[in-house]
Amino acid sequence: MATDLVTPETERLLEGELRYALVGAHGCSLAMAVVPYLLADGDPCAARFLAAGEPLPMGVQPVVVADTTVYGAASVERLMQYWAPNLPRPWVVLTSEAPIPSPAAARYRIRALGSRFAGTATLPYLPVLRTVEDPAKAMDHDAVQAAAARLRRHLEGN
């Protein structure tokens, strides 16, 4: 019987616990890798990147993550071309990798696509991310915790 294939010891994430399903618009940087930790608020099952081809679970807020570069904005644009109209509109979280504003071309693309998003949020440049080996270790720093609180408030509308 098919139900016998999964042993009771197997740990599985319950989809009811997942709040944010993250989709990377392009490759991954440390700033992008830290986003699930920022959104999880201490609950390791609350936010995670979806695997390639994995369907979006019901009742979960999709979040597209990209850098604040022209390449990142173009990647978001390409991803949104294939976003199914029956899926909920995603939030877009843009991660800054430099202490300068994003290029005008990137800002324009994201603004032009704005009606297709639930909203946009920008994660500021966090210099401490350059000093950590693992994204989870970044949460030990006050600046990262403050950015996480602001990001969660923004996405939750508070």
Side-chain angles (χ1 to χ4, degrees):
M1 186 174 201
T3 57
D4 294 334
L5 296 176
V6 178
T7 62
E9 301 87 35
T10 304
E11 291 185 28
R12 299 177 65 185
L13 290 176
L14 299 175
E15 289 184 0
E17 296 174 348
L18 186 64
R19 293 183 60 203
Y20 299 104
L22 282 65
V23 177
H26 56 86
C28 192
S29 64
L30 183 60
M32 290 174 65
V34 81
V35 172
Y37 297 96
L38 298 175
L39 293 176
D41 194 21
D43 179 7
C45 297
R48 68 177 173 86
F49 278 98
L50 294 179
E54 182 179 357
L56 180 68
M58 292 287 287
V60 174
Q61 176 63 53
V63 178
V64 174
V65 184
D67 288 332
T68 57
T69 60
V70 174
Y71 179 74
S75 297
V76 170
E77 182 179 27
R78 279 191 300 276
L79 179 65
M80 293 312 295
Q81 288 175 350
Y82 299 104
W83 196 263
N86 60 335
L87 292 176
R89 292 185 307 162
W91 272 90
V92 175
V93 174
L94 302 168
T95 61
S96 299
E97 296 227 353
I100 57 174
S102 62
R107 291 191 309 267
Y108 173 76
R109 279 185 196 230
I110 296 299
R111 192 171 42 245
L113 293 167
S115 65
R116 302 186 70 189
F117 307 143
T120 59
T122 302
L123 182 65
Y125 173 68
L126 298 168
V128 72
L129 292 182
R130 296 176 56 88
T131 66
V132 296
E133 291 180 12
D134 186 282
K137 300 275 189 215
M139 295 306 294
D140 296 338
H141 298 276
D142 292 337
V144 177
Q145 290 176 4
R150 281 191 306 271
L151 181 62
R152 285 192 303 272
R153 271 196 316 270
H154 190 75
L155 266 63
E156 293 166 4
N158 296 328

